[in-house]
Amino acid sequence: MTHWFHRNPLKATAPVSFNFYGVAGSPSANKICNDLRTSRARLLEMFTDTTCDPEIMKNATDTYFSLLQGFIASLDGTKQENKLRFMQNFKWTDTLQGNTPSAQQDAIFELVSMAFNVAIWHTKFASRLAGKENVTEVEAKDVHRSLKFAAGIFKHLKEVHIPRLITPAEKGRDLESRVMDTYMVQCKAEAQEVTIARAIELKHNATLIAALAFETANFYQKADHTLNTLEPECSSKWRKYLQLKQHFYMAYAYCYHGQTLLVSDKCGESIRSLQEAEKCYSKAEALCKEYRQTKGPGSTAKPSEQLFFTTLSGLIKNTLQKCERENGFIYFHKVPAEVPQLELKASYGLAEPISFEFPALSEQCTPEVYTTFDLTKGAKAENAKPKQEEEVKPMKEPDLKPQKDTGCVIS
């Protein structure tokens, strides 16, 4: 299912040297600065390395974040702010705002920006893995886990670390609550898509599939509504994707709810539910075209070309024809004008974010080494705050090559 998910670009960042000549007053302090520079550079390389997997990514992130904690955690036995927190300036672009970066002289800004990128990487890894020709059960679980893990990172950053920033995020920037919430909800919705595909493949109860599809559609609707106050030029394309997925899963919900109603001998209501499924599917098809034509950040997904998308059309049509035949021979029910209410609540399969915590402080960052950083020596000119309007080169992300589409089949 290559190109099934919409993905916004990775955040880009300016190089950081961590050269605190004079301030870093011991070999151990200098080693921390050197290790920060090299581990940061390695982590940034991992974001665009197609051979990188979650284990490699975890090792790279743990190394960098454990060292960066030495610029954030209190190391002098008091509750006062770490004296190194505001030493270095960091510049990061935003996923929706092009190449013009935000800049803050704050280690927490670096912490949350880099972690945000780690979450985006996990969504891209999940998308790449889901695009393989024959996805194994283990790989499907990895897709599911990566999406829930990304949701957990977004949740943790929003609740714990972003509120600690001295300078709050500007409207439409990645660290602003609306954008964070949308990413988190989208990850949960996409994780549930994996569950739905699995439930369909294993021919689980139609009631369960309808409920999961309904919950997933509601997630996409919530994500879309969260973005409705953002500037259209940066959010319109993303919103079209969220809307088409909402209507697609509403079509699934009404289709499987129609099957449930037929089993319950409510043939008239079943027909009405399937008619509504047809409407939702047609709307999803129309939104696919609008999405492709809408300009905006991110790679363009092609859901309407996927087997999982096109199969639903035949399923709705065949099920509706069956219901109409049964109604003409057996039930003779009147088809109601009102659409049957989807008062569905999934008991199983709902995706919850995986809890995320930053790694512990590196063993290199001891109180003794901390005392050897002497701020009275002053910082070099390179740490002076650069101009906000200077652009940062975007990350060169690998192309996603289409594979043979096997729909939602997990081998």
Side-chain angles (χ1 to χ4, degrees), residues 83-227:
K83 66 184 179 183
L84 303 176
R85 175 178 169 181
F86 305 107
M87 279 286 293
Q88 176 69 57
N89 195 85
F90 301 94
K91 291 202 297 183
W92 283 92
T93 63
D94 294 270
T95 56
L96 302 178
Q97 302 289 343
N99 299 330
T100 303
S102 300
Q104 290 195 35
Q105 197 150 321
D106 187 347
I108 290 181
F109 178 68
E110 166 73 357
L111 184 79
V112 296
S113 297
M114 188 69 83
F116 187 102
N117 240 21
V118 173
I120 294 292
W121 178 87
H122 275 279
T123 69
K124 288 175 180 282
F125 174 78
S127 180
R128 192 164 65 245
L129 196 57
K132 290 184 64 177
E133 185 172 332
N134 291 300
V135 180
T136 66
E137 184 175 340
V138 172
E139 288 169 335
K141 287 180 179 178
D142 287 342
V143 172
H144 194 246
R145 177 177 173 77
S146 285
L147 291 166
K148 292 195 298 179
F149 190 69
I153 295 175
F154 290 128
K155 184 174 187 290
H156 182 69
L157 294 180
K158 184 195 172 189
E159 293 178 354
V160 179
H161 296 282
I162 290 176
R164 298 176 63 191
L165 289 170
I166 302 298
T167 306
E170 298 174 20
K171 289 183 178 181
R173 297 287 183 177
D174 287 338
L175 306 183
E176 199 236 327
S177 61
R178 291 174 297 179
V179 179
M180 294 293 293
D181 284 340
T182 304
Y183 274 117
M184 182 173 64
V185 174
Q186 180 180 335
C187 286
K188 290 167 65 177
E190 290 178 348
Q192 284 183 195
E193 289 193 61
V194 180
T195 306
I196 292 168
R198 179 70 170 167
I200 291 169
E201 183 194 357
L202 296 180
K203 295 180 170 55
H204 277 292
N205 187 290
T207 303
L208 173 62
I209 296 172
L212 281 171
F214 182 58
E215 299 266 18
T216 303
N218 286 340
F219 270 146
Y220 278 118
Q221 183 181 49
K222 179 181 178 182
D224 173 48
H225 287 176
T226 304
L227 289 179

Side-chain angles (χ1 to χ4, degrees), residues 275-317:
Q275 288 172 343
E276 192 64 22
E278 280 190 323
K279 286 183 181 179
C280 291
Y281 186 84
S282 295
K283 179 63 175 175
E285 282 188 311
L287 283 164
C288 283
K289 292 178 183 177
E290 291 177 27
Y291 166 73
R292 286 196 300 270
Q293 294 166 358
T294 303
K295 294 182 179 180
S299 60
T300 300
K302 301 173 183 177
S304 60
E305 298 178 11
Q306 309 302 318
L307 197 58
F308 188 57
F309 191 96
T310 56
T311 299
L312 178 57
S313 176
L315 179 64
I316 294 170
K317 181 180 177 181

Side-chain angles (χ1 to χ4, degrees), residues 14-25:
V16 178
S17 67
F18 293 101
N19 286 333
F20 298 147
Y21 300 123
V23 174

